[in-house]
Amino acid sequence: MVHDSPERPTAPKTDPEADPKADPKARRSAKSDLPQDDLTLDTSDVDPETSAPEEEDDARLPEASEDATETIAEGTLSIGHEAIENAVRLAPTSPGVYRMLNAANDVLYVGKAKNVKKRLSSYARANAPLPARILRMIAATTHVEIVSTMTETEALLLEANLIKQLRPRFNVQLRDDKSFPYILISGDHWAPQILKHRGAQSRPGRYFGPFANAGAVNRTITALQRAFLIRSCTDGFFESRSRPCLLYQIKRCAGPCTREIDFPGYTELVREATEFLSGRSHAVKQLLAAEMEKASGELEFETAALYRDRLAALSAIQSQQGINPRTVEEADVFAIHQEGGYSCVEVFFFRTGQNWGNRAYFPRAEKSFTPEEVLSSFLAQFYDDKPPPKLILLSHEIEESALLADALSVKAGSKVEVSVPKRGEKKELIGHALTNAREALGRKLADTATQSRLLEGMVTTLGLPHTPKRIEVYDNSHIQGTNAVGAMIVAGPDGFMKNQYRKFNIKSEGLTPGDDYGMMREVLERRFKRLLKPPEGEASKARDKADDESFPQWPDLVVIDGGRGQLNAVREIFENLGLTQVSLMAVAKGPERDAGRETLFMPDREAIKLEPRDPVLYFIQRLRDEAHRFVIGSHRKLRKKDIREAGLQEIPGIGPSRKRALLHHFGTLKEIERASIADLGKVPGVSAESARKIFEFFHAQPG
C-alpha cells in the first residue's frame, strides 16, 4: 500500500558548484566514510517494560491447551449459570460487547453479538449442548459486563480491541504482534532519502508497504540503492559532506550531497524509484533497457554498463520476491493449518503487484476451536492497528466474512473485499500460503520438541522443582567502568524470546569503576522491583501478563555469569527483595576460559560439573553465550555513540594538533576508527606509540 504526503521537496535555492551535465555515472576518487543511517538501535536506557529490540523475533507456539474432556463440577456450573441469568435480565436487545469475569475480576472471555440478550441467553440454559471449553468458562464466571454499540460493525471492532488489550483466557489470542516496517522515500528535502520506517507515518513523503519483516525491507532498500542510486544517509550527515561518501564510490548513491548529480537528474532517479515501488516496474525496466541500448549504440559502453547493472538490481529485487501475481494488485493472503492441537496462520503481503514478504503466526487457541473460528478471530485482531488492503483472500470460509468486510471498509474508508477463491491465480496463492503454513508449523513443532527435552533435562540435572517456562540470563559489560551496561536475555519452551530482551544502562553514581557486583545489584533490583510493585496504572497490565501460563513474566530460573561469589551476591539481593520462588544458578568458565569445562553453582549445593558433551551443558553454554553477545552489542552501540559525541578528545595523549592531523589525513572519525596501526603511524606527528593507543582506544575489548 502506498501512502502519499501532500508536501513536495523543493530544489536548493543556490547551487554554485552544480554541474548541469552531471549524471549518475560521474565518479570522483576520494576517501570517505559510510553514512550513519537511521537503522541504528537507540542506545537510551531501557527498563523491563519498554519496547522490544529491533531484531526480528520468531513467533512462538502457545502452551498446549487444556483437555476438552475435563469434567465440570455441577455446583460450580450452576453458579455460573445464575450469574449469566442475572446479566440476561438487564441485557439490551441491541448490538454490543460482553465480558465474562471471574471472582478475581479477571476477564475470561470477550464476545460480541447483534442481540446481546439473545446471545447471553444461549449460555444461561442449563441443558444446552455446549463444548467443554464453554462449560469451563461458564463455571468460572461470577459476573458479566456489557457495552452497547450502535451497530454490529462497531461491536466487532471493539471486541477485537478488547481481546488484544485484555488477553482473555478463553478467546483466540493473536501473539507476537508488532508493527510492520515500510519503505519511506522522504518528501521534506530537495534530495529525498530512502529508509526503513516503523510507527506513525507523520514524516512527509511516500510510504510503501507493509513488508513482512525488517530483513525484507533492508534487502529491498539495498537493491533499490543499486538500481536508482538514492541516498540513505540522514539529513545531518548529508549537509555536512564536503566529499562524497563510500556509498558513492561503490555505486550505491548518486552523490547529491556534493553535487555529483544535479537536481533534475536526482529528481528523475527518485521518480523512477517511486514508479517501480508503485507497481510500474515493467515500464521502468523498459526505459532503462532503452537507455542501455541507446548508450551502447553510441559506443558509450561505461554508461551502458551502468544501466545494465541497474537492470540487474531490479531483477534481483523481483527474484527475491518469489511469486509476483499478474492479476492481484493489492491483497493480503491468509492460510491456516492445524496440527497437534496448534494452529499456524501464514500471511502473505502483495502490494502493487509485488510480493512484499510473508510471516507465520501461531495464535493461542484451545484444541476445540475450528480453523474457521481461529481465522475469524485472528483477522479482526490483526487489522486492529493496521490498514487493510482492498482484497483479503482466505483459505477457509468464515461465518462473519460480510461483517468483517464491512468493519474493515469502515476502518479503511474504502471498500474491502473478503473472499475465498475457488479457481485461478488467487486459488494458487492460497495453495502456496497453505504449503508455507504447514511447513512452518512442522518446523516449529520440531524445534519446540527439542527445546522441551532440554528443559526437562535441566530439571533432572539441576534438581529444579519443575520444568522452567521462563529462563532469564544476566550479564554486564564495560571498559574500566566506562559505558557500563547490563543485559537480560530470555529463553523458554520455544527458544530465545528476543522480544523479551532488555538492556540496562548503569545509572548508579557511587559505583567503583569495574564493580561487577554493584552493577549486577542495580540491574536485578530494577528488574524485580518493577515486577514486585508495578508503576501506577500498570498493575492490571502486569497481572494480565503474569496470568499468561504459556510464558509468564516471572522467571523460573535466573542464570548469571560467574562463580560462587557472584551467586552469593545475587542470593543476598533476592533475599533483600523477598524473592524465594526463583531458582538461581551461576556458570563459571573453565580453566583458561575453556568451553566444555564450566562449573555450575546453585545455592546450598555442591558445585556441578557436567560431561563436555552433555546436551544440558551445551544448552547452558548457549544461554550464557547469547547473553554475552547481546550485552557486548549493547555496550558497543553505547560506546560508539559516546565516541561520536566526544570525538578524539577522550583518547589519552591526543591533543588538538594531532587531532587536526588525523582528520586532515583520514577525513572523518569513521575512517580513523577503521584504520590499522600501520595506517595511523603514517600520519605526520603520530608516533608508533600514539598509533597503538589510538587503535586500542577504538578496539578495546569490553569486560
Side-chain angles (χ1 to χ4, degrees), residues 389-634:
K390 297 176 182 177
L391 177 63
I392 297 173
L393 302 177
L394 307 180
S395 61
H396 293 67
E397 291 278 2
I398 60 175
E399 184 178 349
E400 298 177 330
S401 60
L403 177 62
L404 178 65
D406 290 342
L408 295 181
S409 297
V410 171
K411 184 179 179 67
S414 59
K415 182 175 175 55
V416 175
E417 179 185 353
V418 179
S419 69
V420 179
K422 303 299 182 185
R423 63 183 66 84
E425 186 179 48
K426 294 176 182 177
K427 177 67 174 178
E428 293 174 4
L429 294 177
I430 288 293
H432 183 66
L434 275 170
T435 300
N436 278 267
R438 182 170 58 252
E439 293 175 351
L441 184 55
R443 288 192 300 269
K444 187 60 68 174
L445 287 170
D447 292 344
T448 302
T450 302
Q451 190 80 358
S452 297
R453 287 195 294 270
L454 290 171
L455 293 175
E456 290 167 2
M458 291 187 73
V459 174
T460 304
T461 302
L462 304 178
L464 301 177
H466 56 80
T467 303
K469 294 180 180 178
R470 181 186 180 104
I471 301 173
E472 294 183 357
V473 189
Y474 294 85
D475 200 358
N476 298 324
S477 181
H478 61 91
I479 294 179
Q480 297 179 347
T482 63
N483 301 120
V485 63
M488 171 189 82
I489 67 108
V490 183
D494 295 304
F496 292 116
M497 314 303 295
K498 293 187 177 181
N499 64 339
Q500 301 281 322
Y501 288 15
R502 299 293 181 262
K503 68 175 184 283
F504 305 79
N505 290 348
I506 303 301
K507 297 178 178 179
S508 299
E509 297 179 356
L511 288 180
T512 303
D515 182 0
D516 289 326
Y517 288 179
M519 287 188 285
M520 183 61 69
R521 181 182 301 107
E522 178 182 334
V523 168
L524 292 174
E525 286 180 350
R526 283 166 57 187
R527 161 64 177 154
F528 288 99
K529 280 182 178 179
R530 184 177 290 268
L531 280 181
L532 289 166
K533 189 177 180 181
E536 189 175 348
E538 294 187 11
S540 60
K541 177 181 175 183
R543 186 187 67 243
D544 290 339
K545 289 184 177 181
D547 290 340
D548 184 355
E549 297 178 357
S550 64
F551 198 70
Q553 284 293 98
W554 279 93
D556 302 298
L557 174 66
V558 166
V559 180
I560 58 172
D561 187 16
R564 181 73 70 181
Q566 283 87 346
L567 178 71
N568 291 335
V570 173
R571 186 179 184 182
E572 181 182 347
I573 295 169
F574 276 26
E575 288 175 352
N576 292 336
L577 293 173
L579 302 177
T580 58
Q581 301 302 316
V582 180
S583 299
L584 291 175
M585 181 177 71
V587 183
K589 299 178 180 66
E592 299 181 358
R593 309 174 75 90
D594 187 10
R597 301 175 64 186
E598 288 85 354
T599 303
L600 311 180
F601 296 96
M602 300 189 72
D604 303 322
R605 289 185 58 182
E606 294 293 328
I608 303 171
K609 290 189 73 70
L610 302 179
E611 292 296 323
R613 296 185 179 181
D614 192 310
V616 173
L617 177 60
Y618 175 65
F619 179 58
I620 293 172
Q621 289 171 350
R622 282 177 56 208
L623 293 174
R624 180 201 60 199
D625 293 345
E626 173 68 2
H628 192 63
R629 178 201 66 79
F630 183 62
V631 75
I632 290 295
S634 300

Side-chain angles (χ1 to χ4, degrees), residues 198-385:
R198 286 188 191 267
Q201 298 178 0
S202 55
R203 183 176 177 182
R206 300 197 68 181
Y207 295 84
F208 301 90
F211 286 79
N213 52 59
V217 172
N218 293 337
R219 288 191 298 271
T220 302
I221 288 178
T222 299
L224 287 171
Q225 285 180 283
R226 293 193 179 103
F228 301 110
L229 310 177
I230 302 178
R231 72 177 180 99
S232 60
C233 59
T234 63
D235 291 348
F237 184 90
F238 179 92
E239 301 296 345
S240 66
R241 298 305 300 167
S242 59
R243 292 181 293 182
C245 71
L246 184 60
L247 289 180
Y248 173 81
Q249 308 296 336
I250 62 176
K251 301 182 181 180
R252 280 178 52 183
C253 180
C257 55
T258 53
R259 310 301 190 266
E260 306 304 314
I261 183 173
D262 59 9
F263 176 72
Y266 191 77
T267 301
E268 177 62 18
L269 291 177
V270 173
R271 186 195 65 79
E272 290 175 358
T274 303
E275 290 282 303
F276 182 84
L277 288 171
S278 299
R280 291 176 283 277
S281 56
H282 184 66
V284 173
K285 293 179 73 174
Q286 278 188 325
L287 175 63
L288 293 179
E291 293 291 337
M292 181 180 67
E293 292 294 334
K294 178 182 176 182
S296 179
E298 295 174 355
L299 303 183
E300 295 183 6
F301 298 115
E302 184 180 349
T303 303
L306 174 63
Y307 285 117
R308 178 202 62 199
D309 294 343
R310 294 178 63 189
L311 278 168
L314 294 183
S315 298
I317 296 175
Q318 293 178 319
S319 65
Q320 291 169 2
Q321 292 172 342
I323 295 177
N324 288 300
R326 300 177 303 277
T327 60
V328 178
E329 178 74 11
E330 178 183 311
D332 287 347
V333 178
F334 295 84
I336 183 169
H337 177 73
Q338 289 186 329
E339 183 180 337
Y342 298 103
S343 301
C344 174
V345 178
E346 189 80 26
V347 187
F348 276 79
F349 303 95
F350 295 96
R351 297 294 185 275
T352 65
Q354 302 176 54
N355 177 9
W356 282 355
N358 60 293
R359 185 174 177 184
Y361 288 86
F362 303 93
R364 184 180 182 186
E366 291 199 12
K367 295 180 181 180
S368 59
F369 279 104
T370 65
E372 292 79 6
E373 290 173 327
V374 174
L375 188 58
S376 178
S377 184
F378 176 91
L379 287 167
Q381 296 177 56
F382 184 84
Y383 288 113
D384 177 59
D385 57 356

